[in-house]
Structure formats: structure tokens, C-alpha cells
Amino acid sequence: MFVPLGFLLPLIWPKTDNFFVILVWGFGFSLLIELSQLLTHRVTDVDVLLMNTLGAVAGYVLFKFFALVTKRGKRKGGSAWEPLLYVCVMFAGRFFLFNAMGLARLLYG
């Protein structure tokens, strides 16, 4: 699930085009999701944390392959805080607006 994060983050924000930066972003965002599950009485799992981080790293490897094949140039601009803002908005929308049982009720009656 975190492959798009590892691929799109350095594509959109060139300042994040570093293996360790992607590793920290993948681990941090996954940790945020796992810790938020404690507030909703859901189960947290270390395996999910590791697999999400690995997914972000796999996305970064795919990005590097894509950059090599397409000979992508460096894009300038963008704020250093912009990725954090998008991740926070994405997390807040997922945490506050998603209702799995409501969706199941709509699908299955």
C-alpha cells in the first residue's frame, strides 16, 4: 500500500530524492497510522509497520528505475513543508471521514 508514497514523493518533491528520506517518511507515516489505530480500538501490528516501510522503499526503487529509463531532469521549486501538509491532510481524511461499516452497509444493505 505504500509503494505510491515511495514513488510519488521524490517525483513531486525532488528534495526527498534520497533513500533514507523515503525510509523515514514510509516508517513515520506507517507509525502514525498504527498509533492512531489505538484510538479507535483496532489492532496494531509490527509486521504491518515493517511491510509498509518496505513498500515505500520498493516504490523508491521503482522511481529510481523510472528516472533512469526516462532520464528525468531535476524539477526546482516546491516547499519543504508541502509533503508534510499533504500527508497530514490525507491522514486526517482517512481517520475522520472513513467509516468501513458504513461503506459495507451501503454495498450489502
Side-chain angles (χ1 to χ4, degrees):
M1 293 296 296
F2 274 54
V3 171
L5 179 74
F7 186 86
L8 292 175
L9 206 59
L11 183 66
I12 297 170
W13 296 283
K15 293 177 183 177
T16 62
D17 189 359
N18 184 326
F19 176 80
F20 294 108
V21 171
I22 296 298
L23 185 74
V24 169
W25 270 97
F27 181 79
F29 190 47
S30 182
L31 182 65
L32 179 70
I33 291 171
E34 291 299 313
L35 291 176
S36 71
Q37 289 180 354
L38 294 173
L39 301 173
T40 59
H41 305 294
R42 295 182 63 190
V43 177
T44 62
D45 193 3
V46 174
D47 293 339
V48 174
L49 182 68
L50 295 174
M51 290 298 110
N52 287 345
T53 305
L54 184 62
V57 169
Y60 180 70
V61 169
L62 288 173
F63 165 76
K64 290 307 261 185
F65 178 71
F66 170 77
L68 181 68
V69 169
T70 61
K71 296 182 181 18
R72 174 190 70 83
K74 293 278 185 186
R75 186 176 79 95
K76 292 187 169 106
S79 169
W81 293 98
E82 199 174 1
L84 181 62
L85 173 69
Y86 286 131
V87 168
C88 289
V89 168
M90 196 169 48
F91 172 75
R94 170 74 170 97
F95 186 75
F96 292 116
L97 301 176
F98 184 74
N99 181 357
M101 294 312 292
L103 181 62
R105 199 174 311 119
L106 282 174
L107 292 175
Y108 303 113

